[in-house]
DNA sequence: GCATTTATGATTGACTTCGATCGGATGTGT
DNA sequence: ACACATCCGATCGAAGTCAATCATAAATGC
């Protein structure tokens, strides 16, 4: 009625297309309020647009047809965290001198470092991570996998055999990941067997570097994997609180922010 | 009906995909908290995604399906006599008793056996083959990877560290592959380091089973990996000459034709 | 003007999703 | 080999969502 408030269907469709383009996923209830129409109308619209192949309907809403994982929005979000990890990995890479023996722990942050290391043929890599080994399986530096029992969830090698092998090795530098760093400096992870392996590595490396993005500070997981006093360097993305900086100083840990 | 706090299944699925993509492995309990849903819901999601072939469920979580399990040279070889190798693997599987410790050598023939072993949870598998380990990484029996240096071409672990680990282990049965069996009974392979590892395993297994299709008889590769006198059983596809049967008898090797 | 067409909103019963619970299966540690 | 902890899958009730039907209102055609 009147002149201004009434909108044509085609106009509404364009607004739906727009929302779908930027948000990739839309909810019926949401769009109802935003467009000021009833759910029935909106459903009819979505039905129409689906028939034209412009979107795909799902329970509770609709998704863009080309919402493959590699599409912009998701890539942005995933890439955002990935870029942090990438920068941390790059900083880690710069700390490795030629000819060194490098230990790589399991964990997604360290996995990025493994990928970076493919260009460094001048070092020797030792790891208990099957995923890291797979990264380096195609090309890269000499790679040694420690032995041990395969832990399915983490895809790492742990257990007594791992310790037995680690006892025969030592490292110039070890890069470790963690699930959490508690305020008292305890490094924790979810898997006891893995925690034990981590702690054992700490004692066999000349220099220990912990790779931990912001989200790890204050988090506490189940099993103790060592203490920050055994760590020499922490590489973190920016934005660490003054409180945590103070704590790191207390534990004589060098902080590297990227 | 709240406002926008409710999330669509698709959104959650995408977050799961995202986590799986960056972390390769996810835990049910972890994802529950991160996504703010019950374990039941998450299980349903994982079930759904597994049905679509987007991931693989394991006890306690899920792992990404590894699409790049295909190495050019290797896969070609595997494809050549695929059916023969499959039949050989099946025959090999039947020789494994419950509770045994099984060693799997590198090589495409043995890799088929690893695949078959995914259904056998009643044994322990030890291997120096990264590919075999990857085969068993998703589900299967307890798996132990020996340590050692990663040899890129064959994707196996070899070298002094491997021998060091093998010294601490012994096996009820060992399944070995080979590049060739010479008329005088020498088992050969192309890579000395690998040959050395093979020969070392022969001495640590109660029973040695050689998996060798027809094409291996009479072939001679560079490095000696042992002698047929150390082998207890050979599993081969049909069509072995009388001459070779006679030789196998000489070396006291039991011949199994499939 | 009156009937027809089109767009929209409300109602209702069926369906889907979700979370809690429980018995049973699966690993884990001693 | 045993006991213990954890994890799994099935079931059920509650809540949200869907699709179909009917009613209303504006636009169109005669």
């Amino acid at each position: 009625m009147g002149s201004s408030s009434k909108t044509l269907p085609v106009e509404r469709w364009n607004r739906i297309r727009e929302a779908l383009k930027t948000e990739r996923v839309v909810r019926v209830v949401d769009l109802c309020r935003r467009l000021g129409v009833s759910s029935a109308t909106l459903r009819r619209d979505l039905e129409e647009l689906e028939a034209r192949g412009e979107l795909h309907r799902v329970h509770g809403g609709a998704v863009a047809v080309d919402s493959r994982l590699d599409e912009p929005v998701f890539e942005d979000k995933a890439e955002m965290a990935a870029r942090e990890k990438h920068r941390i990995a790059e900083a880690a890479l710069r700390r490795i001198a030629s000819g060194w023996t490098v230990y790589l722990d399991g964990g997604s942050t360290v996995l990025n470092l493994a990928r970076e290391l493919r260009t460094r043929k001048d070092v020797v890599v030792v790891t208990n991570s099957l995923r890291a080994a797979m990264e380096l399986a195609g090309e890269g530096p000499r790679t040694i996998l420690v032995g041990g029992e395969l832990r399915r969830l983490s895809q790492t090698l742990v257990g007594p055999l791992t310790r037995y092998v680690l006892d025969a090795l030592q490292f110039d530098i070890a890069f470790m990941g963690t699930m959490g760093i508690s305020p008292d400096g305890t490094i924790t992870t979810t898997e006891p067997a893995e925690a034990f392996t981590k702690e054992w590595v700490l004692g066999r490396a000349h220099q220990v570097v912990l790779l931990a993005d912001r989200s790890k500070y204050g988090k506490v997981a189940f099993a103790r994997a060592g203490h920050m006093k055994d760590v020499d360097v922490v590489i973190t993305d920016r934005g660490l609180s003054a409180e945590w900086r103070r704590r790191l100083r207390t534990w004589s840990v060098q902080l590297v922010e990227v």
Side-chain angles (χ1 to χ4, degrees), chain A:
Chain A
M1 53 174 54
S3 46
S4 58
S5 68
K6 196 90 177 97
T7 62
L8 290 166
V10 60
E11 200 172 327
R12 204 172 49 234
W13 293 349
N14 280 331
R15 294 188 61 186
I16 293 172
R17 290 189 184 101
E18 198 177 316
L20 211 49
K21 196 167 156 191
T22 58
E23 291 158 47
R24 219 101 280 255
V25 175
V26 293
R27 260 176 246 106
V28 171
V29 284
D30 264 13
L31 270 186
C32 279
R33 275 183 309 165
R34 278 162 57 182
L35 301 181
V37 296
S38 74
S39 61
T41 302
L42 189 57
R43 270 182 243 286
R44 272 186 282 258
D45 290 342
L46 295 180
E47 204 176 333
E48 177 71 25
L49 291 174
E50 184 180 36
R52 301 188 185 196
E54 296 190 33
L55 54 78
H56 180 62
R57 289 229 56 195
V58 295
H59 196 87
V63 297
V65 282
D66 53 356
S67 78
R68 290 171 302 162
L69 270 181
D70 313 310
E71 282 304 313
V73 174
F74 286 122
E75 201 60 37
D76 280 348
K77 254 171 50 183
E79 214 71 9
M80 201 110 67
R83 195 166 308 167
E84 305 287 324
K85 286 181 175 171
H86 182 71
R87 282 222 310 282
I88 291 177
E90 275 185 325
L93 191 67
R94 282 194 293 273
R95 303 194 69 87
I96 304 171
S98 188
W100 276 10
T101 300
V102 180
Y103 181 86
L104 296 184
D105 183 36
S108 58
T109 316
V110 179
L111 191 61
N112 275 272
L113 178 55
R115 204 164 294 145
E116 298 289 327
L117 272 166
R118 285 190 295 202
T119 59
R120 288 287 295 266
K121 305 259 167 64
D122 61 336
V123 297
V124 176
V125 174
V126 182
T127 183
N128 76 324
S129 162
L130 209 56
R131 284 152 62 195
M134 289 303 291
E135 280 302 331
L136 298 166
E139 58 162 352
R142 273 184 70 192
T143 303
I144 291 168
L145 207 56
V146 302
E149 182 164 346
L150 176 60
R151 210 79 177 185
R152 294 225 144 69
L153 272 174
S154 57
Q155 305 273 284
T156 55
L157 302 170
V158 297
L161 190 60
T162 304
R163 175 174 158 178
Y164 175 70
V165 172
L166 286 174
D167 262 347
L169 306 170
Q170 36 193 334
F171 317 108
D172 293 308
I173 191 166
F175 293 94
M176 315 295 292
T178 178
M179 289 301 292
I181 304 169
S182 77
D184 70 353
T186 307
I187 303 165
T188 57
T189 191
T190 49
E191 185 72 41
E194 212 153 325
F196 187 74
T197 303
K198 276 182 203 285
E199 191 156 12
W200 200 257
V201 168
L202 294 187
R204 307 213 56 83
H206 183 254
Q207 185 183 157
V208 175
V209 181
L210 189 68
L211 307 184
D213 61 74
R214 245 173 325 191
S215 69
K216 305 295 170 58
Y217 292 84
K219 284 258 174 63
V220 180
F222 174 54
R224 174 197 160 96
H227 192 277
M228 290 298 284
K229 278 187 281 201
D230 300 321
V231 172
D232 299 295
V233 182
V234 168
I235 305 183
T236 301
D237 47 353
R238 279 180 219 289
L240 207 54
S241 72
E243 177 71 7
W244 275 104
R245 290 163 187 280
R246 195 188 53 71
R247 287 191 182 119
L248 291 177
R249 267 199 305 279
T250 309
W251 302 319
S252 315
V253 176
Q254 181 191 344
L255 174 63
V256 176
E257 288 179 290
V258 295

